[in-house]
Amino acid sequence: MKSFYSIIRFVNNPLSKENLAIGLIMISNDKIFHKFSVEKIQLVNKINPLNFKLLEYTIDKVSNFIKSELENEVSLFSDDSKVNLEYLKRLSIYNNGFLQFDSPSVINIDFDEVKFNDFFHKYIDLVIKPVEKKVIDNSFARVIKNVFREPLKDIINIDYKVKKAEIPNLFFDYKLDGIGYNGIIYSVKSIDLNSERPIDQIRKDISELESLNPRIDLFGKSKGFEPQYNKHYLVIDKYKGKKASYHELYEILSNQNSDHYKYHLINSEELKDVTSDIKNANANKFTDLINISN
């Protein structure tokens, strides 16, 4: 059995024929189905609010006509496909400038209410796919907090911004996870590769750290500390994602000479040993060292 359908369109711009499919009418056997997309009608309200009220009125009139007249006529001639086709052709001739019916199309499928709704949902309805929320892995940050920051928060400076005014020849401010001293200077910087911060920002953090540490060493030397004994740490876990640039950066860091770049590369599991070392050394806050006069 042939079924006939016509798409109902809102014509936003008659000159360019810009339009939006907002509804569907179908005749199958002795049944007539019609439906309008609520979401698309609301979209019309956004793109053409001046015609929205008139559109609502027209849709209501069309729906009433289909229910009060067309359904009865179709049921009388349900076996005559030519007659059914003529009904939809009559509707396609109708238009008021912004609501128009396509010339009817034929499909060799018998439709019931369920099949019609599926057809409507697939081809007419506005299907909005939910935005998948990216799951952020905070395990690295939790380790830094629980293993390092919390145990040392009253012992050394935590989340401390080293200011350029404090360190000779330093031309930028830089935030460390922690910094302290007792005979030697301890500093820790953590960077989470798996948070997938922009790679350029991560490279900048590392580059500035490589510039910061020698200046801290020179500052410590002015206070009587031997630079070679200072312990600077960069905490980075292996990258688990798929971006080649992050893998490449981790490999470069893993293979470089720690003495040359003035820091030891460790992972988050090794950080507990650093915390124990600082505790056992009875370290003090770096700000106390800054306030010590030469």
Side-chain angles (χ1 to χ4, degrees):
M1 179 70 182
K2 292 180 179 179
S3 298
F4 305 94
Y5 68 91
S6 180
I7 296 174
I8 307 169
R9 301 181 186 275
F10 171 76
V11 181
N12 185 50
N13 189 326
L15 184 63
S16 66
K17 298 183 179 180
E18 175 188 88
N19 68 84
L20 183 67
I22 63 170
L24 180 69
I25 181 170
M26 176 181 287
I27 298 176
S28 184
N29 294 320
D30 61 344
K31 299 291 185 181
I32 182 165
F33 307 97
H34 82 284
K35 194 171 186 178
F36 289 92
S37 171
V38 175
E39 291 80 7
K40 283 192 174 179
I41 291 172
Q42 291 304 315
L43 182 58
V44 170
N45 189 24
K46 294 180 180 180
I47 63 177
N48 196 333
L50 294 178
N51 281 331
F52 180 67
K53 290 295 182 183
L54 185 56
L55 174 65
E56 284 189 314
Y57 172 79
T58 306
I59 288 173
D60 187 58
K61 296 287 286 184
V62 169
S63 296
N64 288 336
F65 167 74
I66 292 172
K67 290 178 180 179
S68 63
E69 296 184 31
L70 196 57
E71 286 183 357
N72 291 330
E73 292 185 34
V74 167
S75 64
L76 294 175
F77 301 97
S78 59
D79 295 329
D80 193 334
S81 61
K82 290 183 179 179
V83 174
N84 290 342
L85 183 60
E86 284 301 317
Y87 283 129
L88 290 187
K89 284 183 177 179
R90 281 167 49 193
L91 287 175
S92 69
I93 295 171
Y94 165 84
N95 75 78
N96 65 0
F98 64 82
L99 190 67
Q100 298 182 3
F101 294 75
D102 284 1
S103 295
S105 299
V106 62
I107 184 170
N108 291 315
I109 299 175
D110 287 340
F111 282 85
D112 56 17
E113 193 75 31
V114 173
K115 289 181 180 178
F116 172 77
N117 286 331
D118 289 343
F119 188 85
F120 178 86
H121 180 71
K122 184 175 181 180
Y123 295 106
I124 304 297
D125 221 355
L126 183 63
V127 180
I128 301 175
K129 294 183 179 180
V131 178
E132 293 185 6
K133 292 184 179 180
K134 186 175 181 180
V135 178
I136 299 175
D137 183 358
N138 293 318
S139 58
F140 182 84
R142 285 197 299 271
V143 171
I144 302 301
K145 178 183 177 181
N146 295 335
V147 173
F148 179 77
R149 294 181 182 178
E150 288 295 326
L152 296 175
K153 64 182 179 181
D154 296 321
I155 298 173
I156 64 173
N157 292 110
I158 297 296
D159 286 334
Y160 182 72
K161 182 179 287 187
V162 182
K163 298 179 181 179
K164 53 181 177 288
E166 298 171 342
I167 306 296
N169 300 318
L170 184 65
F171 52 90
F172 54 86
D173 296 341
Y174 193 87
K175 191 173 183 179
L176 293 166
D177 290 85
I179 184 168
Y181 81 99
N182 191 359
I184 64 173
I185 296 174
Y186 301 89
S187 73
V188 172
K189 174 66 177 180
S190 68
I191 294 177
D192 188 0
L193 279 183
N194 291 290
S195 69
E196 295 197 359
R197 282 177 55 215
I199 191 70
D200 288 343
Q201 291 183 16
I202 293 176
R203 289 192 184 113
K204 181 175 181 289
D205 276 355
I206 295 171
S207 177
E208 289 185 348
L209 181 67
E210 292 172 353
S211 179
L212 171 70
N213 288 337
R215 287 167 171 79
I216 290 178
D217 288 345
L218 287 175
F219 172 76
K221 188 175 182 179
S222 72
K223 301 293 185 179
F225 301 130
E226 291 297 328
Q228 66 268 28
Y229 299 119
N230 293 335
K231 294 182 179 181
H232 305 298
Y233 297 95
L234 174 59
V235 187
I236 288 184
D237 284 347
K238 188 173 182 178
Y239 178 61
K240 302 174 185 176
K242 298 180 180 180
K243 296 182 180 178
S245 57
Y246 291 80
H247 282 292
E248 181 182 8
L249 177 60
Y250 182 79
E251 289 301 317
I252 291 172
L253 293 171
S254 299
N255 294 323
Q256 67 188 12
N257 187 311
S258 61
D259 292 333
H260 179 74
Y261 290 100
K262 301 296 183 182
Y263 58 77
H264 302 283
L265 184 71
I266 63 172
N267 60 48
S268 59
E269 292 183 356
E270 299 173 283
L271 187 56
K272 62 181 182 299
D273 296 329
V274 175
T275 300
S276 296
D277 188 21
I278 294 173
K279 275 186 173 182
N280 294 336
N282 295 317
N284 303 291
K285 294 183 178 181
F286 184 70
T287 46
D288 295 340
L289 182 61
I290 291 174
N291 296 326
I292 295 175
S293 301
N294 290 325

